[in-house]
Amino acid sequence: MKKILVTGGAGFIGGNFVKYMVNKYPKYHVFNLDTLTYAGDLTKHSDIEERENYSFIKADIADREVISEIFNNEKFDYVIHFAAESHVDRSIKEPEIFIKTNVLGTQVLLDAAKSINVKKFVHVSTDEVYGELDFDPDTFFTENTPLQPNSPYSASKASSDMIVRAYYETYNMPINITRCSNNYGPYHFPEKLIPLTISRVLNDEKVPVYGDGKNIRDWLHVEDHCSAIDLVLHEGELGEVYNVGGHNERTNLEVVKTIINALSKSNDLIEFVEDRLGHDKRYAIDPTKLEKLGWQPTYNFETGIEQTVNWYLNNENWWNNIIQGKYREYFAKQYQF
Ligand code: NAD
Ligand code: TYD
């Protein structure tokens, strides 16, 4: 039985990936390692927690002693590394934890993985490491676009990418790096644009749109991201970077209006607020390299949003628990309304 370590498996994308792997590969044992920050919760795994091929390990990836002990006890075959501080707005207010977790934590994991000769280390990164594009619709991020991160979050992810790359060049470690566009789907933490909009619209509360709402993101359903990582894990050429995206560019205003419309509410809920500092104009991925490896997304933006809105309608308990807790303090500090 192959042993797979998934870091950050209590979060949004890692959580979906853990479910995907436990269900798809009964012969793999999936270890979910997570320190359970504000963004991590295990209730999302109530359907798989009793499975024989699933285990949870509570640990901080930046704790070298603990991580090295865990790797000495379990000889993992593969590491899929999601654990990170992931929210740009939080990185603007408190950058330090992003450096500790995203940069140092990645290096600690690489050392531990190297010490037991893992067969593959997949580092899950982001298209935000490339910086921003202008509004010319014919320009895209490719794997050869120079890294030019603009936020403390994207700078910390770019730093970790560079370290992962260096471990390939220096130690010949079997790595891949994936750089994905904005994800959405079930279990997305309601600090990010799509789940924030859905939860607020459902409660008839104002939706904060930064600046003029014309910034563009390229949206990918989380299930399509999971299948991309599965493919890269099994078929990715060692040392290579793969961009993941599905050509679903929308302005933020279009995204918010689509959700309001799907929930039959009024656009009066939109509240334009002060712009984010250093707000990247546009992200757009060219996924040709991954498509050549055999990947195709199954959702487009319309089908994906419909599925996601329905999921939030059917799982109010999950997000209501979150927005009634510490999240209130965060929201008040971030938005002043
Ligand atoms: P998330 O914030 O929802 O989840 C992060 C998880 O990591 C949480 O469960 C948290 O508890 C855990 N974690 C944080 N610090 C840790 C530490 N020190 N030790 C162990 N666990 C820790 O994030 P997400 O949106 O699921 O993103 C997962 C990965 O995908 C990140 O690396 C992110 O950079 C990348 N990514 C995200 C997106 C997106 O749209 N959300 C897009 C591209 C790439
Ligand atoms: P977000 O979901 O935070 O993802 P990222 O910053 O990683 O792209 O934001 C997506 C877009 O939505 C981004 O352009 C910022 C914008 N945005 C708002 O307009 N209002 C909000 O309250 C949030 C959280 C984001």
Side-chain angles (χ1 to χ4, degrees):
M1 187 176 254
K2 289 241 165 37
K3 295 183 180 182
I4 304 208
L5 180 72
V6 177
T7 71
F12 163 47
I13 308 175
N16 277 282
F17 185 74
V18 162
K19 279 183 198 290
Y20 173 100
M21 294 301 277
V22 166
N23 287 320
K24 181 164 176 189
Y25 297 105
K27 295 218 165 115
Y28 287 1
H29 193 107
V30 179
F31 295 83
N32 167 14
L33 184 151
D34 199 298
T35 199
L36 302 179
T37 66
Y38 77 93
D41 87 280
L42 294 176
T43 63
K44 56 173 66 94
H45 291 324
S46 56
D47 57 333
I48 56 161
E49 66 192 3
E50 301 296 331
R51 299 277 185 88
E52 273 182 17
N53 68 333
Y54 172 77
S55 309
F56 175 68
I57 305 168
K58 187 172 186 323
D60 179 347
I61 56 165
D63 188 333
R64 187 173 293 277
E65 220 171 287
V66 168
I67 293 297
S68 103
E69 201 183 314
I70 291 167
F71 276 71
N72 281 334
N73 290 339
E74 291 288 357
K75 304 289 181 217
F76 303 114
D77 295 284
Y78 303 129
V79 176
I80 321 292
H81 177 34
F82 294 90
E85 289 293 336
S86 69
H87 192 35
V88 173
D89 290 327
R90 290 185 192 251
S91 83
I92 293 168
K93 290 215 157 78
E94 288 174 33
E96 193 171 333
I97 185 67
F98 286 72
I99 306 306
K100 185 172 176 229
T101 292
N102 300 1
V103 186
L104 181 64
T106 299
Q107 194 257 330
V108 166
L109 276 178
L110 283 165
D111 278 346
K114 180 158 85 64
S115 76
I116 62 161
N117 295 318
V118 296
K119 295 186 185 72
K120 173 81 71 93
F121 185 105
V122 179
H123 178 60
V124 180
S125 190
T126 166
D127 61 356
E128 300 189 28
V129 298
Y130 297 122
E132 66 175 357
L133 295 164
D134 62 25
F135 292 112
D136 171 0
D138 294 327
T139 55
F140 297 97
F141 294 136
T142 74
E143 290 79 1
N144 296 323
T145 303
L147 303 196
Q148 211 164 27
N150 293 320
S151 71
Y153 161 67
S154 54
S156 70
K157 292 297 290 187
S159 307
S160 63
D161 286 19
M162 291 289 98
I163 296 166
V164 174
R165 182 187 169 279
Y167 272 58
Y168 171 72
E169 294 292 336
T170 306
Y171 307 114
N172 208 19
M173 256 189 88
I175 63 99
N176 283 124
I177 297 173
T178 59
R179 297 192 179 128
C180 190
S181 59
N182 285 60
N183 282 216
Y184 66 99
Y187 299 110
H188 203 182
F189 195 85
E191 66 187 350
K192 307 278 167 62
L193 180 67
I194 287 182
L196 180 137
T197 301
I198 299 173
S199 58
R200 292 194 61 89
V201 170
L202 280 172
N203 285 336
D204 291 308
E205 291 170 322
K206 293 275 184 193
V207 178
V209 172
Y210 296 157
D212 58 11
K214 290 190 178 145
N215 300 57
I216 291 175
R217 296 294 182 263
D218 182 0
W219 294 95
L220 185 75
H221 193 279
V222 65
E223 283 171 29
D224 289 326
H225 190 186
C226 290
S227 69
I229 293 170
D230 182 10
L231 181 68
V232 169
L233 171 66
H234 292 103
E235 306 289 339
E237 203 179 313
L238 295 185
E240 291 297 310
V241 175
Y242 294 92
N243 281 354
V244 193
H247 289 300
N248 286 298
E249 288 181 56
R250 296 289 184 283
T251 66
N252 294 335
L253 205 51
E254 284 168 338
V255 169
V256 171
K257 285 184 174 170
T258 302
I259 294 168
I260 289 176
N261 186 42
L263 292 168
S264 307
K265 299 280 174 111
S266 157
N267 285 338
D268 292 347
L269 288 174
I270 295 169
E271 174 102 357
F272 290 96
V273 299
E274 199 182 326
D275 208 354
R276 172 186 278 174
L277 296 178
H279 195 174
D280 285 338
K281 284 200 261 309
R282 174 173 166 257
Y283 304 143
I285 283 275
D286 175 354
T288 307
K289 186 173 170 181
L290 189 65
E291 283 170 358
K292 283 191 184 148
L293 203 65
W295 178 78
Q296 281 297 332
T298 55
Y299 289 93
N300 60 30
F301 188 69
E302 283 67 38
T303 56
I305 278 289
E306 190 187 338
Q307 187 267 4
T308 302
V309 167
N310 283 333
W311 187 88
Y312 277 81
L313 280 167
N314 293 327
N315 291 273
E316 274 199 30
N317 273 352
W318 180 79
W319 55 267
N320 254 324
N321 273 342
I322 293 172
I323 63 171
Q324 277 163 19
K326 266 196 155 183
Y327 177 88
R328 275 173 189 274
E329 286 163 39
Y330 162 77
F331 197 92
K333 224 160 89 187
Q334 177 66 23
Y335 296 101
Q336 284 100 38
F337 69 75

